[in-house]
Amino acid sequence: MKTFDYQRANTIEAATRANGRFIAGGTNLLDLMKLQVETPERLVDISRLDLNTIEERDDGGLTIGALVPNSDLAADPRVVEKYEVLSRALLAGASGQLRNKASTGGNLLQRTRCYYFYDTASRCNKRQPGSGCDAVGGFNRILAVLGTSEQCIATHPSDMAVAMRALDAVIVTQKADGDKRRIPIHDFYRLPGETPQIETVLEAGELITHVELPSPPAGKQVYRKVRDRASYAFALVSVAGVVEVKNGVIASAALAFGGLGPMPWRNPAVEAAVVGRAPSTEAFEAAADALLADAKGYGSNDFKIPLVRRTLIATLRDLTA
């Protein structure tokens, strides 16, 4: 690990003006620093800021501090009762030890990554823009089939963010000049395009302070994760679903996906394919067709395309049973 300056921030304003990389739990950043994938000159410790509470709002939703640990968020009675899909997604991620340390804001900001991103001897446009992408044409079994570009086919690793996408979360930030932003999660992440090293719309020095969840959604909630082993593994495919059935017809649906793209994936056409229809194999197949219309495999990950079809259909059956 290369040497760096360390600064402890006691206020949000001090943190945003410190001109360094924020660190809270450090469960992703410290790994990258040890491998010299990232070599920040200054770390700004925000772990002591007063951002570790979960508060109810008048509209029935929740405001979650950016420093709330994943374990605390998953176990909060209000989350378990009203946002089950989020609690289940959190418990499906990483290990208990990591969930105890990982923060809500940090989870959202995990680097979209692959094997070659970690290997400094490999070409990676995300790590070194313009160097090439060894994942394309290389071993890419767990990598993306949606939203990719010639520059990058890495996947976003977060389970929590997939559930947040299904719940239409809003990310609250503060800039160095004191300005605050409320960014809907569907506008927060960026596709790789020609600049895969830029993963979010955050500006330099901009700090996530809270995440807002709207009032609890109606209907049944499910989080299904398909992975190589039962714990401490990224999703090959995951689905966060919220579906309400009224009078034998699907009245509303929110479906987000992990393991498929460079961001938590959600396509309104998938939901439109089932809303207003009776639950049926035909409707579920139509949803899968909409999701996979632009899917592209890269060899080792071709199996993901039929796998996500089966996973989506099985999830929709659970949600409408």
Side-chain angles (χ1 to χ4, degrees), residues 79 82-87 160-170 185 212-217 221 240 242 254 256 266:
V79 175
K82 300 176 181 179
Y83 303 95
E84 179 185 3
V85 65
L86 176 58
S87 179
M160 184 196 78
V162 178
M164 292 283 195
R165 185 76 193 268
L167 293 169
D168 291 317
V170 174
I185 193 168
E212 295 177 350
L213 295 181
S215 56
Q221 303 180 29
V242 183
R266 187 172 174 183

Side-chain angles (χ1 to χ4, degrees), residues 274 277-289 309 313 316-317:
V274 296
R277 302 177 65 176
S280 66
T281 299
E282 182 182 6
F284 301 162
E285 289 280 3
D289 289 342
R309 177 178 294 274
I313 291 171
L316 285 169
R317 285 175 178 155

Side-chain angles (χ1 to χ4, degrees), residues 147-159:
T148 59
S149 73
E150 294 181 358
Q151 303 296 315
C152 184
I153 61 172
T155 47
H156 195 274
S158 173
D159 292 286

Side-chain angles (χ1 to χ4, degrees), residues 51-279:
L51 298 173
N52 58 356
T53 59
I54 304 172
E55 299 177 352
E56 295 185 56
R57 297 197 311 276
D58 292 340
D59 65 357
L62 295 178
T63 297
I64 303 162
L67 296 180
V68 173
N70 286 178
S71 292
D72 290 0
L73 184 57
D76 187 277
R78 295 161 294 186
V79 175
V80 174
E81 178 184 359
K82 300 176 181 179
Y83 303 95
E84 179 185 3
V85 65
L86 176 58
S87 179
R88 289 181 175 272
L90 284 161
L91 293 174
S95 64
Q97 293 93 331
L98 286 175
R99 291 195 298 269
N100 290 341
K101 192 68 176 175
S103 66
T104 299
N107 191 303
L108 292 170
L109 291 174
Q110 290 183 81
R111 296 299 305 271
T112 299
R113 56 195 189 263
C114 75
Y115 326 100
Y116 301 100
F117 174 66
Y118 277 103
D119 181 4
T120 55
S122 299
R123 296 182 305 157
C124 174
N125 289 315
K126 185 180 293 293
R127 192 181 63 248
Q128 187 177 354
S131 63
C133 176
D134 279 345
V136 176
F139 184 67
N140 46 53
R141 182 174 181 273
I142 69 170
L143 302 187
V145 295
L146 291 170
T148 59
S149 73
E150 294 181 358
Q151 303 296 315
C152 184
I153 61 172
T155 47
H156 195 274
S158 173
D159 292 286
M160 184 196 78
V162 178
M164 292 283 195
R165 185 76 193 268
L167 293 169
D168 291 317
V170 174
I171 298 165
V172 182
T173 70
Q174 183 164 323
K175 301 181 183 180
D177 60 6
D179 285 350
K180 297 181 180 180
R181 287 204 288 172
R182 297 178 70 256
I183 308 169
I185 193 168
H186 61 76
D187 293 329
F188 184 72
Y189 295 103
R190 290 174 44 131
L191 292 174
E194 297 296 319
T195 55
Q197 74 277 13
I198 304 174
E199 298 173 359
T200 73
V201 298
L202 291 181
E203 300 175 7
E206 190 170 7
L207 175 68
I208 295 176
T209 60
H210 299 87
V211 176
E212 295 177 350
L213 295 181
S215 56
K220 186 176 181 180
Q221 303 180 29
V222 167
Y223 187 75
R224 182 185 290 261
K225 181 177 182 178
V226 180
R227 47 187 164 174
D228 285 326
R229 56 184 184 272
S231 65
Y232 200 60
F234 294 138
L236 296 172
V237 175
S238 66
V239 184
V242 183
V243 171
E244 182 184 20
V245 179
K246 285 184 177 180
N247 301 319
V249 174
I250 298 174
S252 64
L255 298 162
F257 303 86
L260 300 184
M263 63 174 68
W265 199 260
R266 187 172 174 183
N267 183 346
V270 179
E271 297 154 13
V274 296
V275 171
R277 302 177 65 176

